[in-house]
Amino acid sequence: MGKVRIGTVWLGGCSGCHMSFLDLDERLIELAQVAEIMSSPITDWKLHTPVKEYQDYPEVDISLVEGAVVNTDNVEVLKLVRERSKILVAFGDCAVTGNVPSYRNLFKTDDVLNSVYLDKATHNQMIPSDRVVVPRLLNKVVPISHVVKVDYFMPGCPPSADSIWYTIKCLLEGKEPEFSKEHYRYG
Ligand code: SF4
């Protein structure tokens, strides 16, 4: 039997969940014996910035998706990743609930843009109009389950390396991961 194909995806998050993935440390070697990381910002980040680069996202068995859905690019990428993934896991609290990025929902989108690009900018004050460079913000930040079907929700901000390992091991063994208090972690 071939190796299990895994992809990881970075939407509107701080990359802390991916940093926690790297904390698997020597377990990454164990993982490499049974699975292949087909696509991930930790293997080639430049493929994980503009939405057009995600057109090459491969068919995978498992995708771990970090981050909330904050802009139009995120929506496109997420739908494409869903289509190409047998199992899709919301990877960390931003993906699960919206978490930190959803604080923006307390404000109007125009007010946020004006504050960042005009009021607080020290030079070149202008709101970017090139949607390729800066994707259009959604009016509301949402968790990924508001856009696509999610198979499993891995909690934590970020999830601990132990939680990530537990989830991956369950999925590799064909078991359902069950998250309890010990899997919740903040900071
Ligand atoms: S869940 Fe926490 S660590 Fe992960 S992307 Fe969101 S803020 Fe960062």
Side-chain angles (χ1 to χ4, degrees):
M1 198 176 86
K3 288 185 174 181
V4 173
R5 295 160 62 92
I6 296 178
T8 79
V9 177
W10 182 12
L11 302 182
C14 73
S15 86
C17 293
H18 275 88
M19 295 300 105
S20 206
F21 187 93
L22 290 175
D23 286 340
L24 288 172
D25 296 333
E26 68 273 12
R27 288 172 290 195
L28 287 168
I29 297 167
E30 196 178 326
L31 180 63
Q33 287 164 359
V34 292
E36 189 163 352
I37 307 291
M38 304 300 299
S39 178
S40 170
I42 59 178
T43 56
D44 192 344
W45 77 270
K46 72 180 182 303
L47 291 180
H48 292 266
T49 38
V51 65
K52 65 181 169 56
E53 301 295 357
Y54 269 97
Q55 299 307 322
D56 294 332
Y57 193 80
E59 301 275 345
V60 295
D61 297 298
I62 303 167
S63 284
L64 305 180
V65 180
E66 173 192 313
V69 183
V70 307
N71 61 40
T72 49
D73 268 21
N74 292 163
V75 174
E76 278 185 60
V77 168
L78 183 54
K79 286 180 176 172
L80 186 148
V81 168
R82 174 68 275 186
E83 278 173 20
R84 297 180 187 176
S85 308
K86 289 185 187 152
I87 295 173
L88 189 146
V89 180
F91 179 24
D93 283 339
C94 292
V96 173
T97 68
N99 197 28
V100 177
S102 66
Y103 291 176
R104 170 162 76 73
N105 294 342
L106 297 170
F107 308 96
K108 290 181 180 161
T109 305
D110 282 347
D111 290 345
V112 172
L113 290 170
N114 288 337
S115 173
V116 171
Y117 288 107
L118 301 179
D119 301 343
K120 294 193 171 60
T122 52
H123 61 284
N124 286 345
Q125 288 99 332
M126 59 183 274
I127 295 179
S129 58
D130 182 346
R131 301 301 187 207
V132 175
V133 176
V134 181
R136 186 169 62 79
L137 291 183
L138 302 180
N139 283 335
K140 199 170 175 199
V141 174
V142 293
I144 66 171
S145 61
H146 285 213
V147 178
V148 296
K149 175 177 172 287
V150 172
D151 299 300
Y152 299 103
F153 296 86
M154 190 196 311
C157 180
S160 66
D162 287 346
S163 262
I164 296 169
W165 188 236
Y166 165 76
T167 307
I168 290 174
K169 287 265 281 183
C170 282
L171 297 177
L172 291 176
E173 292 166 8
K175 296 180 189 160
E176 301 264 323
E178 290 177 12
F179 299 104
S180 55
K181 218 164 79 179
E182 73 196 56
H183 295 110
Y184 287 76
R185 161 181 142 154
Y186 305 97

